[in-house]
Amino acid sequence: HSGERPYACDAPGCEFRAARAGCLKKHTGIMHSGERVFACDVPGCEYSATRSRFDNLKEHTRTHRDERPHACDKAGCDYRSKTTSNLTVHKRTHSGVLFPCDEPDCAYVAVTTRELKTHTRTHGDEQPRMCDEAGCEYLTTNSSDRRTHKRTHSGAPVFPCDEDGCAYLAFTATGLKVHKRTHNG
């Protein structure tokens, strides 16, 4: 028992070391297999996390409660969020780090590169997807927008953006409030 741990995990960012190869194999299977072993216990929620991302599940469960432990540190701002990622996005509204669309005559501004990428597809040649609800003529090039739209048929609450030319729909008033910041800067 020399205390040596010659077997090192080769997963990016992982510093685990083991004394025996079997222990490393067990670690890799538990922590890096990608198997989703922690599921949200809220009925109807399909969120799950891997063992190595258990903290993500703990943070996710806040989305079902009104617990907002992450506060903006900007003087005079009372924004609080349930997740660190939402706080990071919020802080961009203070810093001016936003992502405007490059298309001529398009005033869209995103708060994340992912939102900009999604928006950019609306200008492309992608084949539009049609709503499969009888009598509905809604078309979009974005599968996420289509899923959002389909909720309008299910009776789920939808909060539309009232900005001219904007078709954004939010499922929560908070989501709409965050979105409106892309128009107001």
Side-chain angles (χ1 to χ4, degrees), residues 129-165:
R129 296 177 179 99
M130 187 169 197
C131 177
D132 54 11
E133 187 77 18
C136 183
E137 297 179 11
Y138 178 83
L139 289 171
T140 183
T141 57
N142 183 300
S143 59
S144 177
D145 288 347
R146 183 171 167 225
R147 281 191 304 274
T148 300
H149 164 78
K150 287 180 82 169
R151 291 186 184 165
T152 65
H153 298 297
S154 70
V158 177
F159 300 86
C161 180
D162 56 7
E163 193 78 18
D164 285 338

Side-chain angles (χ1 to χ4, degrees), residues 7 14 20 30 33 38-39 42 44 49 54 57 64 76 106 109 118 121 124 127 129 131 134 150 157 164 171:
Y7 300 96
C14 185
R20 296 188 322 257
I30 291 171
S33 70
F38 295 109
V42 172
F54 178 66
L57 176 62
H64 299 295
C106 183
V109 179
T118 298
R121 288 190 204 128
Q127 194 68 9
R129 296 177 179 99
C131 177
K150 287 180 82 169
D164 285 338
F171 294 114

Side-chain angles (χ1 to χ4, degrees), residues 82-125:
K82 296 178 180 188
T83 65
T84 53
S85 58
N86 286 350
L87 179 60
T88 300
V89 170
H90 162 78
K91 285 183 173 185
R92 290 186 188 134
T93 64
H94 296 305
S95 68
V97 179
L98 299 172
F99 305 94
C101 180
D102 293 337
E103 282 292 314
D105 301 322
C106 183
Y108 182 84
V109 179
V111 291
T112 65
T113 54
R114 182 178 181 190
E115 284 179 359
L116 179 61
K117 184 178 179 181
T118 298
H119 165 77
T120 303
R121 288 190 204 128
T122 65
H123 298 296
D125 295 329

Side-chain angles (χ1 to χ4, degrees), residues 4-70:
E4 287 185 38
R5 296 178 178 264
Y7 300 96
C9 182
D10 60 3
C14 185
E15 297 177 12
F16 180 83
R17 298 187 71 83
R20 296 188 322 257
C23 292
L24 176 61
K25 184 176 180 181
K26 183 176 179 182
H27 161 83
T28 304
I30 291 171
M31 299 302 286
H32 305 296
S33 70
E35 181 183 350
R36 305 234 168 226
V37 294
F38 295 109
C40 181
D41 58 4
V42 172
C45 183
E46 297 178 10
Y47 182 87
S48 62
T50 62
R51 282 186 200 263
S52 63
R53 298 286 182 236
F54 178 66
D55 285 345
N56 290 5
L57 176 62
K58 289 193 294 186
E59 191 162 273
H60 163 80
T61 58
R62 290 188 191 119
T63 65
H64 299 295
R65 300 187 307 266
D66 198 25
E67 184 181 328
R68 297 174 185 270
H70 307 287

